[in-house]
Amino acid sequence: MYYIHAISSISHQQTFDLDSIHNGLVKLTQESPLITPEFKDILPPTALRRLSPILKISLTTAIRCVNDSEFDGIVVGTGLGCLQDTEKFLLTINNATSDVLSPTAFIQSTHNTIGGQISLFLKNHAYNMTHTQNALSFEISLLDGMTLLSEGKSNILVGAADEKIPFLELLNENLIKTEYSFTSLATFFNLKNAKSDKGIFVKDVLVLANSKKDINEVILQFLEKNQCNPSSLTKVYHSDLEISLSTEKVNYLDFTGYNYAASALAFHIGVSKLSEDKGSILIVNSLIKNDLGLILLER
Amino acid sequence: MQIFITGYGVISSIGLNVEENYNSLKNKTSGIKLTDSTIFKNYKVGSIQYSNEELAAMFNLQTKGSRTAILGMIAAKEAFKDHELSSEIRTGLISGTSVGGMDLTENLYKDYLKGNFNTEEYKHHPSGVTTIEIAQELGLEDCFLNTISTACSSAANAIMQGARLIKNNVLDRVIVGGTDALTEFTFNGFRSLMIFDEEWCRPFDNTRNGLNLGEGAGYIVLESEVSILKSNSKPIGILSGWNSSSDAYHQTASSPEGYGAVLSMRGALEMSCLNCNEISYINAHGTSTPNNDASESMALKTVFEGNVPAFSSTKSYTGHTLAASGGIEAVYALLAINRGVLFPNLNFSQAITETQLIPQKIFEEQKRVNHVLSNSFGFGGNNSSIIISSLN
């Protein structure tokens, strides 16, 4: 079994250090800011100085998932990686007037900086992986975490993060075409086979890429495979999609904004909802055309 | 459950396919040289001497993409050439890359800074898109696709994840490896770290002074036994062990004693149930930076307790191909096993004072090569080791 223990998010909603997040969600506007805690209370001074926003929010939420034993696996999903430092280094090399370049932005531009910073901070020597399959990066990371537990590990940190930079706005209406605001967010949680207090667990996850299949059919097959009667679902969280199920549906993009890690925050919202009452929740991620991620959460 | 290897493909500065790569390895022909590119200036690189358009035409590619995607398509198609897609065999693709479509993005940013740019070009940027483009060229649909980005260990980690997903019954067959194109971004990144040697790199040599960058792609096909019964593929090796661990020492440097490297090599050996003395050859990470080679040498001595088997770094031929290196070197490991050869470490003359390890210096034939250990260590502290074994 894949039980969710601690979970933490920083987003444009009030999500950090709250036991319950699903009731206080507000529909985001273009002006909704990223709501960050006082990083100086959590991160060491060097991290405060050097780390970009995506690294700060990832490390902070990861720290909130730490328990008494060491993680035996750290899995991070990120669709676009450390965009701010990537852009900074692109500008550095284009504007350089001398032959000497500062390496800091380059060092922190690689996707695995997120997992690397977490392992450095925790002095953790375990499996450390970074998956980057666009908007499916979170689902793939979750699947990897579950696979690690099946292989005999017991205490896994899984998370996803993506950040916005102004450049992304320039792509809107041409390459991206979204009415939702671009956001930054990080969600990390602790996955174990040991039962948690609330008993909320991941029943199954599905990743389907480069697919022209009918999503509603895939959803029905997925539920059937998991012996889950569609009428028994508590809620379906989706990324702005027509879903034929009669269950109560919530478009999570209203609350997450446009972000490749959006389904990770939807996952946290689902966990929060289930912490209130027993039931099952389906998260449907079809943010990018032809790519589908499904997660079934139960309690 | 055994994980069989049933295909391989590679493109690098020493050849456009497996056979060309083998001949260069055999003839001690390095692909690293000065180019007339204004980007790389007076630095030698292992670049592939054809433009994207030339490569697309030569290999009859149907899908458009960044150079990273194009190199990936070429090597992945070679790896999969004797295979057919079938609804009976769940086939996936897991590809490692560190830069994705950066070769296009960096030009886009030049235009952007001038105030006028074509946003369409950015669609090739995300690393995950390079993998989708490779999948499209292979005709893979409705499948599991993933991209791993753990810097220089990306392809090794992609190989590992593919094997794990077969073991866990998520996939029956998977194309795994990595691809990275030379870009101005990575070139300047490594230049800013001041880890280039202006001369030819000399892995494990006492006078080594940095790496040469390269580009390329390498993929292998992994299959379960059940999948082979359906596909009738001919196995060419077994992936018998793997491990990925974290050095957790520094964002860019390896620990002096190679702690993470020791963990990953020991983990892979333990999984394969092999003793140290059963390893016939080690394809080392061997970037030729003072830090990596000292750290890796220490780790080799620790793991093999002084009896280090024949080892070499083929980065002296290809340059450091970053996320692709673990894929390219997995192909070389298969060549070593199937042709009974050991590849030399070019440009070596003098052992590192502290460790005194001497790599394989000559191309040797008619060797019995049963088990090859291949190391890939990434910037950020990702250490991965895989073991490829012969069929018997």
Side-chain angles (χ1 to χ4, degrees):
Chain A
M1 296 285 273
Y2 313 108
Y3 286 99
I4 295 138
H5 287 249
I7 183 162
S8 177
S9 298
I10 294 175
S11 67
H12 293 236
Q13 301 280 346
Q14 290 287 354
T15 46
F16 189 66
D17 274 356
L18 294 178
D19 288 335
S20 169
I21 66 163
H22 67 284
N23 284 321
L25 299 170
V26 293
K27 198 167 170 176
L28 296 182
T29 67
Q30 300 292 338
E31 282 74 42
S32 308
L34 178 68
I35 302 173
T36 55
E38 282 289 348
F39 288 121
K40 68 173 164 44
D41 299 339
I42 304 161
L43 301 178
T46 47
L48 285 176
R49 270 200 316 277
R50 286 189 199 153
L51 303 188
S52 64
I54 191 174
L55 295 173
K56 281 184 189 157
I57 62 175
S58 300
L59 186 55
T60 302
T61 49
I63 288 169
R64 280 297 190 261
C65 301
V66 170
N67 53 43
D68 293 341
S69 51
E70 268 184 42
F71 293 127
D72 47 15
I74 295 174
V75 190
V76 180
T78 179
L80 291 168
C82 303
L83 278 182
Q84 183 175 306
D85 279 322
T86 302
E87 180 172 78
K88 202 189 248 181
F89 195 67
L90 275 170
L91 301 182
T92 302
I93 57 181
N94 279 298
N95 297 329
T97 47
S98 88
D99 228 26
V100 182
L101 299 169
S102 162
T104 313
F106 175 68
I107 290 169
Q108 294 184 173
S109 73
T110 60
H111 289 45
N112 64 328
T113 312
I114 303 170
Q117 283 295 330
I118 295 169
S119 76
L120 275 173
F121 182 85
L122 300 176
K123 297 265 167 278
N124 183 292
H125 295 283
Y127 177 90
N128 193 301
M129 203 51 58
T130 305
H131 300 293
T132 176
Q133 195 52 47
N134 304 328
L136 295 179
S137 306
F138 172 65
E139 283 78 0
I140 288 169
S141 300
L142 175 60
L143 176 66
D144 193 2
M146 291 159 69
T147 308
L148 289 169
L149 292 182
S150 305
E151 290 166 351
K153 298 201 175 191
S154 61
N155 186 23
I156 312 295
L157 177 71
V158 180
D162 265 295
E163 68 181 343
K164 72 157 181 178
I165 54 171
F167 182 81
L168 291 180
E169 310 275 359
L170 303 175
L171 307 177
N172 200 0
E173 293 190 3
N174 181 352
L175 202 57
I176 293 177
K177 297 189 186 85
T178 180
E179 62 197 80
Y180 302 97
S181 57
F182 289 93
T183 55
S184 297
L185 70 87
T187 294
F188 274 83
F189 62 96
N190 178 212
L191 192 69
K192 290 181 166 189
N193 11 47
K195 199 172 174 191
S196 61
D197 293 345
K198 293 272 168 80
I200 301 165
F201 61 95
V202 182
K203 182 78 189 281
D204 201 5
V205 56
L206 177 133
V207 174
L208 192 60
N210 220 6
S211 173
K212 297 201 171 62
K213 282 188 183 172
D214 181 296
I215 293 178
N216 281 296
E217 267 176 41
V218 177
I219 289 173
L220 288 177
Q221 286 165 2
F222 177 73
L223 292 175
E224 192 184 323
K225 178 193 157 212
N226 285 291
Q227 291 154 352
C228 176
N229 187 333
S231 62
S232 72
L233 280 172
T234 314
K235 255 184 187 177
V236 176
Y237 291 94
H238 62 86
S239 54
D240 200 357
L241 176 78
E242 288 292 325
I243 290 183
S244 56
L245 299 176
S246 58
T247 318
E248 186 188 344
K249 285 163 285 220
V250 178
N251 172 8
Y252 65 74
L253 294 180
D254 281 337
F255 308 115
T256 62
Y258 189 95
N259 185 304
Y260 277 6
S263 61
L265 183 58
F267 179 88
H268 188 171
I269 296 168
V271 168
S272 174
K273 172 74 185 157
L274 285 177
S275 64
E276 217 170 46
D277 208 354
K278 288 195 171 180
S280 48
I281 279 176
L282 178 69
I283 299 162
V284 182
N285 168 10
S286 60
L287 188 65
I288 292 184
K289 203 179 154 203
N290 301 338
D291 284 350
L292 176 68
L294 297 178
I295 301 170
L296 187 59
L297 279 169
E298 281 189 18
R299 177 186 173 189
Chain B
M1 181 198 241
Q2 283 196 316
I3 305 293
F4 292 95
I5 302 168
T6 58
Y8 56 172
V10 63
I11 178 166
S12 74
S13 60
I14 62 167
L16 302 179
N17 54 44
V18 170
E19 224 37 61
E20 285 186 20
N21 272 264
Y22 180 76
N23 288 332
S24 295
L25 289 165
K26 185 177 177 176
N27 298 326
K28 294 192 172 192
T29 310
S30 170
I32 301 166
K33 56 181 112 167
L34 281 175
T35 67
D36 47 18
S37 152
T38 51
I39 296 169
F40 308 126
K41 298 171 186 154
N42 47 342
Y43 291 94
K44 298 176 176 71
V45 291
S47 64
I48 295 162
Q49 307 291 311
Y50 297 97
S51 69
N52 293 357
E53 295 70 27
E54 287 167 333
L55 288 169
M58 284 161 78
F59 290 90
N60 192 23
L61 303 180
Q62 304 302 309
T63 316
K64 293 219 176 325
S66 61
R67 186 165 180 87
T68 301
I70 288 171
L71 298 179
M73 289 175 210
I74 293 166
K77 276 177 98 170
E78 186 185 21
F80 205 62
K81 70 176 172 4
D82 296 327
H83 294 74
E84 276 173 39
L85 291 170
S86 151
S87 57
E88 303 278 292
I89 305 171
R90 292 168 298 174
T91 304
L93 168 68
I94 306 172
S95 180
T97 181
S98 71
V99 292
M102 183 57 84
D103 58 297
L104 298 175
T105 306
E106 60 196 17
N107 289 326
L108 175 81
Y109 259 80
K110 287 188 207 304
D111 294 340
Y112 164 58
L113 289 173
K114 286 180 205 145
N116 177 23
F117 72 108
N118 174 9
T119 50
E120 268 293 302
E121 287 285 289
Y122 195 77
K123 76 175 177 205
H124 301 289
H125 173 79
S127 296
V129 169
T130 61
T131 306
I132 291 178
E133 287 166 348
I134 296 165
Q136 285 169 344
E137 183 67 22
L138 291 168
L140 279 170
E141 283 176 358
D142 297 315
C143 59
F144 181 90
L145 293 184
N146 187 29
T147 310
I148 288 183
S149 192
T150 53
C152 314
S153 60
S154 303
N157 284 335
I159 292 171
M160 262 182 59
Q161 198 204 8
R164 292 170 58 228
L165 290 179
I166 289 177
K167 277 204 160 182
N168 282 277
N169 196 29
V170 176
L171 292 171
D172 304 309
R173 176 173 65 180
V174 57
I175 303 145
V176 288
T179 176
D180 253 340
L182 271 170
T183 67
E184 195 176 346
F185 185 88
T186 28
F187 171 78
N188 281 300
F190 281 85
R191 192 165 66 88
S192 74
L193 290 167
M194 295 191 277
I195 50 174
F196 284 145
D197 195 325
E198 287 195 39
E199 293 308 311
W200 277 278
C201 69
R202 301 172 294 287
F204 298 103
D205 190 89
N206 205 34
T207 66
R208 73 198 180 287
N209 192 30
L211 57 83
N212 307 132
L213 270 187
E215 66 180 346
Y219 291 86
I220 61 176
V221 181
L222 305 179
E223 273 189 85
S224 68
E225 196 164 358
V226 176
S227 174
I228 286 181
L229 289 174
K230 293 177 190 165
S231 68
N232 287 317
S233 305
K234 185 175 163 288
I236 52 173
I238 292 165
L239 186 68
S240 54
W242 57 82
N243 183 275
S244 182
S245 293
S246 209
D247 202 33
Y249 174 75
H250 186 272
Q251 188 63 39
T252 54
S254 304
S255 58
E257 76 283 12
Y259 188 76
V262 169
L263 289 179
S264 68
M265 284 191 274
R266 280 193 175 145
L269 281 163
E270 191 182 324
M271 181 174 188
S272 63
C273 300
L274 291 170
N275 294 317
C276 287
N277 60 14
E278 291 174 277
I279 297 294
S280 329
Y281 166 65
I282 299 168
N283 189 301
H285 186 54
T287 57
S288 189
T289 61
N291 176 242
N292 176 81
D293 294 6
S295 170
E296 188 172 9
S297 294
M298 289 299 287
L300 286 170
K301 288 185 83 160
T302 304
V303 172
F304 291 91
E305 293 169 353
N307 296 314
V308 180
F311 73 99
S312 64
S313 166
T314 46
K315 290 187 179 69
S316 54
Y317 288 86
T318 58
H320 190 356
T321 57
L322 307 179
S325 62
I328 292 173
E329 290 159 25
V331 172
Y332 296 169
L334 285 161
L335 285 170
I337 288 168
N338 283 294
R339 306 199 184 178
V341 297
L342 296 179
F343 302 121
N345 187 104
L346 303 181
N347 310 326
F348 174 86
S349 59
Q350 188 185 345
I352 298 172
T353 313
E354 296 78 19
T355 52
Q356 291 297 322
L357 290 182
I358 297 173
Q360 178 72 21
K361 289 194 277 191
I362 55 166
F363 178 81
E364 267 190 275
E365 288 179 286
Q366 293 180 337
K367 301 289 286 186
R368 190 163 173 76
V369 182
N370 286 327
H371 306 283
V372 177
L373 173 72
S374 180
N375 283 337
S376 296
F377 304 146
F379 171 126
N382 290 109
N383 298 93
S384 297
S385 299
I386 61 170
I387 296 175
I388 296 179
S389 299
S390 61
L391 289 166
N392 36 31

